[in-house]
Amino acid sequence: PEYSDSFPHKAYTLGFAGHPGGPSWYINMVDNSVIHGPGGQSHHVLDGHGDPCFAIVVEGFDAVKRVQEVPTRDGIWMEERVGITKATILTSTKGQKKDDTPPTTT
């Protein structure tokens, strides 16, 4: 899926990015809609493309903040390996649009 205006890069959303070394994902700690949305990154060949969001953190915010504090190289690559030991997929059709774009959150 591609970027959708109905699921922007708000704080605590997860975005998918394709790096030269392979696919990757990240957690937005602030609203990054301008940076990761359409036209925000030069690696998108077509105008209007952006990194898609595919999830939102609904609990465990303290754990996300601890991960953010892990030292990095070049501001990107973590110096120590960080793993996720548990994740739960929640689904909801409430507010779902016919075109399958995720519902907006507040």
Side-chain angles (χ1 to χ4, degrees):
E2 293 298 329
Y3 177 82
S4 171
D5 286 333
S6 60
F7 199 39
H9 288 269
K10 300 290 184 186
Y12 295 102
T13 55
L14 281 69
F16 181 76
H19 291 286
S24 183
W25 59 271
Y26 51 88
I27 301 173
N28 291 296
M29 297 302 293
V30 296
D31 185 334
N32 284 317
S33 298
V34 172
I35 297 169
H36 292 289
Q41 297 191 11
S42 61
H43 70 274
H44 293 293
V45 177
L46 302 173
D47 288 339
H49 282 212
D51 295 337
C53 280
F54 63 91
I56 186 167
V57 175
V58 295
E59 65 181 35
F61 301 101
D62 57 329
V64 173
K65 288 178 183 177
R66 286 195 311 271
V67 169
Q68 183 187 25
E69 294 171 0
V70 173
T72 60
R73 289 188 312 266
D74 300 326
I76 298 174
W77 308 108
M78 293 182 176
E79 290 185 1
E80 58 188 72
R81 193 174 183 100
V82 175
I84 297 173
T85 57
K86 180 182 176 187
T88 304
I89 298 173
L90 305 173
T91 60
S92 172
T93 57
K94 184 178 181 181
Q96 192 82 14
K97 296 180 180 180
K98 289 182 180 180
D99 64 353
D100 292 331
T101 56
T104 57
T105 58
T106 55

